[in-house]
Amino acid sequence: MPSSSGPSIDTITKGGRVTQVGEGQEAEESAPSVMTFGAPTVGEILAERYELVEHINDDSAGRQVWRGVDVILRRPVAVVLRHPGGDSATEMLQAAVAASRVIHPNLAGVYDAIDEAERAYVVREWVDGRSLRELTAEGPLDPARATSIGHSVASALAAVHATGMVHGNVHPGTVMISDDGRVVLADARTDGADSQESDLRAVGGVLYYALTGHWPHGEAPLHGATAGHGRAVIPDAVRDANGGLAAPRQIRAGVPAYLDDLTMDLLDRQIPPPSSDVLTAELGRLEVPADEQYLEQAGPLRFTADNEDERTPLSPAGGRKVVLGIAGLLVVALVGLLIGVTTLRGDDDPGGQAANPTSPAASDDAPAPAPAAVRALKLGPDQVRVIDPDSKARDEFDGIEKVVDGDQDEAWQTDGYYNAKFSNLKGGMGILIDLKQPQTVKSVEALLSNRGATGQIYVGTADHPSTSAGDKALVEAFKSKQIGPTLENHGAKMVFDGFEADQKYQYLLFWVTDLPEIDAGKYKLIVQEITVQVQ
């Protein structure tokens, strides 16, 4: 790595992906000002090749980020510049040269690195887009998109780690999302104190930030996060009185348990993280790309601590135990209260009528018999079936039993589509529920992972056409009787309760014609649980 006064170092050109604004944490007001001597100016051409077009920002490491143009190849570039150069820029230049040796679609490509003594700069690819920090400023991302971003970051790190190197600067400012949706990790900046483990912990931080909008740096910050600077840009995570980190599911609704557990395991320093390639494979399995067929999820990869009792009280396991314990105490207290009230009423009744329901006074005022209690019907895996009359490939039928297994963390899902109406390939899809015998149905509740679906409930009696008929015939027969209104662009919990009290039905068809959007232009239905209330 030359450090002379003239332009130097080999020029590296390759097909990287994204470089641009937001690569480091933006400088706070208290950050030291950048030197003006030798400062670059708009229109200046560096190394007789890179014209500076626009100063984008200054980061907290004392570097300037510029949008520029390679006047030889006529392409936009990003120029990350420090002045002075020399020894003060050695780490930046060394990290850039090291990063240039790894070619990966989720890593920013490095074109050039030059030290001119007064200043040093790294030239990289430019792309129109935003950093994860900027993207999440509009609100936390949905779980599917957070998983996709985490997968891309882990994949980039796997490529870096395969060479024995460390990135050392993974945080929401270095994770870039281009306008076409590509995710790229930029700005490698190791200082020798980093490790591959710290990179992997940072993936947990990226997932946590994408899901909550908070960065879990705290007392043990991940390198490059913002421990000493940038707190005004990235808010701290939610914590309990003892400093324990709140899980994403405790901050917002709709985060799947498997993603919540994986994120918290990566942030738990008592649990060794997996290797970057194993983590990439796991996040890729959970992402399930839209152009691939549905892969049945056999449960998330877990990285278990030796002592589960050491988990923070705000961790998912601890939280569930506390909730169940409190619920148990409330039940005991309520039963005790009812017994006490009944006893007191018996003791205070001079005629003893509270204790003698057959006395004349009691029989004269006896209320009408109470209606039968409403209960949730226990459904078995043989009572649910996918109805897909327009399917050309039966690749969305596996895992349907998960909608009635009582576990909201397990779900059945359709393929991904690029149109809310199944890309005009089909009129809809449904789940047929066989109650085995006619029942007085009170309500049907479908719990989905995302809001935005449009659905209906259709019903059939015991003498309904045989369910062995083709899907097209079944759908046509069921559509003659709809219960309640169509729920359009509805929330994640769809409740259908317009059933008639004097009617009994054996078959229910949950029919969906519009899917929730789980990512930009990508639509998928994920059904966590279906509950049928009967009387």
Side-chain angles (χ1 to χ4, degrees):
M1 167 78 57
S3 58
S4 62
S5 60
S8 56
I9 201 169
D10 37 33
T11 299
I12 307 145
T13 304
K14 56 179 178 294
R17 287 286 185 262
V18 176
T19 353
Q20 84 148 59
V21 219
E23 302 190 19
Q25 294 302 319
E26 293 182 11
E28 292 184 295
E29 294 180 0
S30 58
S33 59
V34 179
M35 292 178 59
T36 57
F37 177 75
T41 58
V42 174
E44 183 177 358
I45 298 180
L46 306 179
E48 300 180 349
R49 179 168 187 172
Y50 307 111
E51 180 181 357
L52 299 179
V53 176
E54 179 185 8
H55 178 212
I56 302 302
N57 69 356
D58 296 340
D59 72 13
S60 57
R63 306 174 308 168
Q64 293 186 4
V65 181
W66 285 74
R67 178 170 62 88
V69 173
D70 183 335
V71 298
I72 296 178
L73 297 180
R74 304 308 302 172
R75 64 181 175 185
V77 295
V79 180
V80 182
L81 185 146
R82 280 187 64 107
H83 59 283
D87 293 340
S88 66
T90 298
E91 184 272 331
M92 179 186 80
L93 296 172
Q94 288 177 340
V97 172
S100 73
R101 299 180 183 134
V102 184
I103 301 176
H104 189 276
N106 298 119
L107 280 173
V110 178
Y111 294 153
D112 213 344
I114 296 175
D115 189 348
E116 294 180 338
E118 286 125 2
R119 55 193 178 187
Y121 44 91
V122 174
V123 182
R124 295 195 290 228
E125 252 185 306
W126 172 275
V127 73
D128 290 322
R130 293 183 290 178
S131 69
L132 178 61
R133 181 184 65 222
E134 295 166 321
L135 185 66
T136 312
E138 301 171 358
L141 307 184
D142 64 74
R145 193 169 193 191
T147 302
S148 178
I149 290 173
H151 177 219
S152 297
V153 173
S155 181
L157 290 176
V160 173
H161 293 175
T163 67
M165 295 189 297
V166 175
H167 187 278
N169 194 30
V170 180
H171 61 78
T174 59
V175 176
M176 310 300 300
I177 296 91
S178 70
D179 289 342
D180 64 1
R182 184 173 291 114
V183 178
V184 174
L185 182 61
D187 198 28
R189 196 171 64 196
T190 181
D191 61 6
D194 303 293
S195 65
Q196 292 187 0
E197 178 176 333
S198 65
D199 278 350
L200 292 163
R201 302 285 185 204
V203 177
V206 167
L207 288 170
Y208 191 97
Y209 182 79
L211 291 168
T212 67
H214 296 268
W215 180 250
H217 46 78
E219 297 178 356
L222 302 170
H223 181 77
T226 51
H229 47 71
R231 289 182 181 269
V233 177
I234 302 182
D236 191 6
V238 178
R239 301 177 185 276
D240 63 14
N242 298 320
L245 194 65
R249 294 185 81 189
Q250 296 172 295
I251 299 174
R252 58 174 291 199
V255 178
Y258 63 79
L259 185 58
D260 186 273
D261 290 339
L262 178 59
T263 300
M264 295 303 289
D265 283 353
L266 288 171
L267 293 173
D268 189 342
R269 296 185 180 275
Q270 302 302 313
I271 301 177
S275 63
S276 52
D277 55 346
V278 170
L279 179 59
T280 300
E282 174 63 4
L283 287 168
R285 185 179 72 85
L286 297 178
E287 184 183 1
V288 189
D291 57 350
E292 295 182 7
Q293 70 177 26
Y294 170 67
L295 303 177
E296 182 175 358
Q297 295 183 2
L301 182 68
R302 295 303 311 278
F303 317 112
T304 309
D306 294 334
N307 185 356
E308 291 290 346
D309 294 335
E310 294 180 357
R311 296 178 70 92
T312 169
L314 281 177
S315 67
R320 282 193 289 268
K321 291 176 182 177
V322 171
V323 170
L324 290 175
I326 293 174
L329 291 175
L330 289 175
V331 170
V332 171
L334 180 59
V335 172
L337 178 62
L338 292 175
I339 293 175
V341 170
T342 302
T343 303
L344 288 174
R345 284 181 176 175
D347 292 343
D348 294 341
D349 185 1
Q353 294 185 17
N356 183 12
T358 61
S359 64
S363 61
D364 291 343
D365 299 329
V374 176
R375 58 188 175 87
L377 192 63
K378 176 62 177 176
L379 298 172
D382 61 331
Q383 293 179 258
V384 288
R385 165 185 162 188
V386 176
I387 300 296
D388 190 6
D390 299 319
S391 176
K392 294 180 173 58
R394 302 175 70 87
D395 57 359
E396 299 174 275
F397 287 40
D398 294 336
I400 187 59
E401 70 280 356
K402 295 177 182 178
V403 305
V404 293
D405 63 358
D407 184 359
Q408 296 182 8
D409 297 336
E410 295 288 335
W412 167 81
Q413 58 184 306
T414 69
D415 285 343
Y417 294 84
Y418 290 97
N419 183 290
K421 296 183 182 297
F422 299 96
S423 298
N424 297 321
L425 295 176
K426 52 181 73 172
M429 285 183 66
I431 299 175
L432 179 64
I433 304 168
D434 182 358
L435 304 182
K436 296 296 187 182
Q437 62 183 11
Q439 302 269 6
T440 302
V441 181
K442 297 295 292 182
S443 67
V444 176
E445 176 185 302
L447 183 61
L448 315 179
S449 65
N450 295 82
R451 62 186 301 115
T454 294
Q456 302 92 22
I457 283 288
Y458 299 107
V459 294
T461 57
D463 58 353
H464 200 273
S466 171
T467 55
S468 62
D471 285 2
K472 286 184 180 293
L474 278 173
V475 171
E476 289 304 316
F478 272 100
K479 284 189 175 181
S480 63
K481 181 63 174 178
Q482 179 176 343
I483 296 297
T486 297
L487 302 183
E488 298 184 8
N489 192 25
H490 204 67
K493 180 184 287 188
M494 306 182 78
V495 179
F496 303 88
D497 55 5
F499 293 86
E500 300 174 9
D502 58 348
Q503 294 291 327
K504 292 187 177 183
Y505 302 104
Q506 181 168 334
Y507 300 104
L508 308 171
L509 177 61
F510 174 48
W511 185 251
V512 177
T513 54
D514 283 295
L515 308 182
E517 185 174 17
I518 64 170
D519 206 344
K522 178 180 177 181
Y523 298 82
K524 177 185 288 189
L525 180 69
I526 303 176
V527 184
Q528 296 172 304
E529 201 72 19
I530 292 181
T531 304
V532 178
Q533 297 276 354
V534 298
Q535 193 172 57

